Amino acid sequence: MGSFGNGPAGDRTGPHGIGGGGGGGGGGPAAAVDKGVDFANYFCTYAFLYHQKEMLSDRVRMDAYYNAIFQNKNHFLGKTVLDVGTGSGILAIWSAQAGARKVYAVEATKMSEHARALVKANNFEDVIEVIEGSMEDISLPEKVDVIISEWMGYFLLRESMFDSVICARDRWLKPTGVMYPSHARMWMAPIRSGLADQKSNDFEGAMDDWHCFLEDTRISYGVDMSILTKPFSEEQKKWYLQTSLWNNLHPNQVIGTAATVKEIDCLTTTVDDIAEVRSNFSSIIKCNTRLCGFSGWFDVHFRGRMEDPAQKEIELTTAPSVDNGTHWGQQVFLLNPAVAVSEGDEVDVSFAMTRSKENHRLMEVVLDGRLKQSSGNLLQPFRKLFYVE
Ligand code: SAH
C-alpha cells in the first residue's frame, strides 16, 4: 500500500494515503487509537478505486506478489488463506486461482463491496469470503495456513498497518502457518539531490513573501502582524526543511554504501519491536560530491518459513532504480546545507524512528551524524529531526 500523505505530485493521497492531523492514541499500538478519527484520517482513502488502481498499476509490486503466489503454489493448494486488507480483492483472487480451499478477505472500508463484486465476477464466491471490518475486530471460523497482506507504507512502517497483520497472525495463523511476505528490511544511504537547494530556496521564497505580506497588511489594513513571523517561519521550516520527501531517485544519486537499519521476521516480530527503530550505521562515500542528505527505502521477501520454505524466493524492492520504480519511491531526508565530501570519507549515523504522538501512523526520524574525512579529520556533527508525513 502506501497511500496517505506525501506522495508523488498529482497523487491525491500519497502511496498508502494517510492524511495528516491528529489520530490520537499517543504512538501506541492500534488498539489504543480513536477508531473514528483513524477511519477519517487513514482508511477513507482506501475506499476509492482511484487509489486501489494506483497500487494495482505498480508493476513491481504486482509482479512480486503474483510471482510469490504462483511460483509457490504448494503454499496455497488446498490451504486456508487470510488476506489482511484485501482492498480490491486482488491477492485473495490470486490465492484462489493458485488453488486455495478457502480465502478470508478482510477489508475495513467499503472497498469490500467492490471486492465482493470482483470475486463474484471471477467465479470465486465459493472460495473467497469477503468480510467488511477491522482485522482487530472480526472473527474467523477457523485458523489459517497462510496470511497474505500488502501492508507496507512509505519507508516500510509509515501507516503502521503491520500492527494489524501482527494482530491477525497472533490470533489466526496456525502454528505451522506461513507469512506472505515473510521478511522485510529498511535501508538508508547517503545521497546527492538537487532537492536540497530547491527546498532551501522554497523556504527563503516563502519568508520573502511573508515579509511583503506583513508590509501590505500594515499599510493597507493598519495591523502589524510581525509578531507572527517566528511561528510562521517555524511552520514553513517544518514543511520545507524538516519533512521527508517522496522521490524516485536514480541509483547514481546514491553516493555511499547502503545500510540495513531494520530487519523484520514477519512470523515473530511484535508491535514493540517496530514501534521504535534505532540503529547505528556507517557508510563509505564512493565519489567526490556533495552530501545532500539520506534516502530511506525498503524491501520485502517471500521465503515461506524455515520448516516449509518457498519453492521460489521472491523479492520486492523499492531501492532506487533505473526503471520506473514503484509508487513507494524512496523517502528523502535532506540536510541543509549540503556538505562537500570525498571518496573514502565515512559518515556515521545514529538513526531513530518513532511514531508521532499525534498520529500513530506517522513517523518522526532523528539523524545524528558525523562525517569523518579519509584524512581522519572530523567535520561538524549534525543532528536533525524529520517528520515522515
Ligand atoms: N491487498 C490489496 C490492498 C492493499 S492496501 C492490494 O494488494 O492491492 C491496504 C488495504 O488494507 C486498504 O484497502 C486498507 O483499507 C486495508 N486495511 C488496512 N488496515 C486494515 C485493518 N486493520 N483491517 C482491515 N483492513 C485494513
Side-chain angles (χ1 to χ4, degrees), residues 151-158 184-186 264 298-300:
W151 51 267
M152 298 85 74
Y154 288 136
F155 200 17
L156 192 68
L157 294 177
R158 184 174 171 276
R185 290 184 299 189
M186 291 165 69
I264 293 174
F298 68 88
D299 55 26
V300 300

Side-chain angles (χ1 to χ4, degrees), residues 308-345:
D308 185 10
Q311 287 178 338
K312 175 93 175 121
E313 189 179 306
I314 300 294
E315 178 185 71
L316 162 51
T317 177
T318 65
S321 122
V322 281
D323 305 325
N324 282 335
T326 66
H327 74 294
W328 285 286
Q330 295 84 40
Q331 284 293 300
V332 166
F333 303 86
L334 296 170
L335 295 177
N336 305 97
V339 188
V341 287
S342 308
E343 186 180 349
D345 289 355

Side-chain angles (χ1 to χ4, degrees), residues 1 42-43 46 52 55-56 61 85-87 90-91 106-109 133-136 150 161 164:
M1 49 163 206
Y42 172 64
F43 284 110
Y46 286 113
Q52 298 286 338
M55 296 183 285
L56 296 168
R61 186 192 92 105
T86 200
I90 184 76
L91 304 180
V106 179
E107 171 56 41
T109 72
S134 236
M135 194 62 240
E136 289 77 358
E150 200 282 79
M161 184 182 159
S164 304

Side-chain angles (χ1 to χ4, degrees), residues 260-366:
T260 311
V261 291
K262 181 77 180 170
E263 293 199 55
I264 293 174
D265 179 342
C266 300
L267 204 52
T268 55
T269 293
T270 64
V271 173
D272 281 346
D273 294 335
I274 54 169
E276 285 190 14
V277 178
R278 291 178 195 279
S279 165
N280 294 321
F281 70 90
S282 294
S283 177
I284 305 293
I285 301 295
K286 293 190 281 202
C287 49
N288 300 339
T289 181
R290 289 189 330 146
L291 170 66
C292 300
F294 294 85
S295 170
W297 66 84
F298 68 88
D299 55 26
V300 300
H301 290 88
F302 300 84
R303 299 191 181 122
R305 65 185 287 153
M306 213 172 341
E307 313 85 324
D308 185 10
Q311 287 178 338
K312 175 93 175 121
E313 189 179 306
I314 300 294
E315 178 185 71
L316 162 51
T317 177
T318 65
S321 122
V322 281
D323 305 325
N324 282 335
T326 66
H327 74 294
W328 285 286
Q330 295 84 40
Q331 284 293 300
V332 166
F333 303 86
L334 296 170
L335 295 177
N336 305 97
V339 188
V341 287
S342 308
E343 186 180 349
D345 289 355
E346 179 180 323
V347 53
D348 297 330
V349 180
S350 138
F351 168 93
M353 186 164 98
T354 51
R355 296 177 175 189
S356 148
K357 286 189 182 56
E358 288 76 38
N359 184 340
H360 79 289
R361 296 189 186 273
L362 301 178
M363 307 290 153
E364 289 173 12
V365 166
V366 175

Side-chain angles (χ1 to χ4, degrees), residues 25-59:
V33 166
D34 178 327
K35 285 190 181 162
V37 176
D38 199 32
F39 210 91
N41 278 340
Y42 172 64
F43 284 110
C44 59
T45 58
Y46 286 113
F48 290 96
L49 280 169
Y50 167 92
H51 183 55
Q52 298 286 338
K53 176 175 167 285
E54 194 201 338
M55 296 183 285
L56 296 168
S57 308
D58 179 334
R59 295 202 71 101

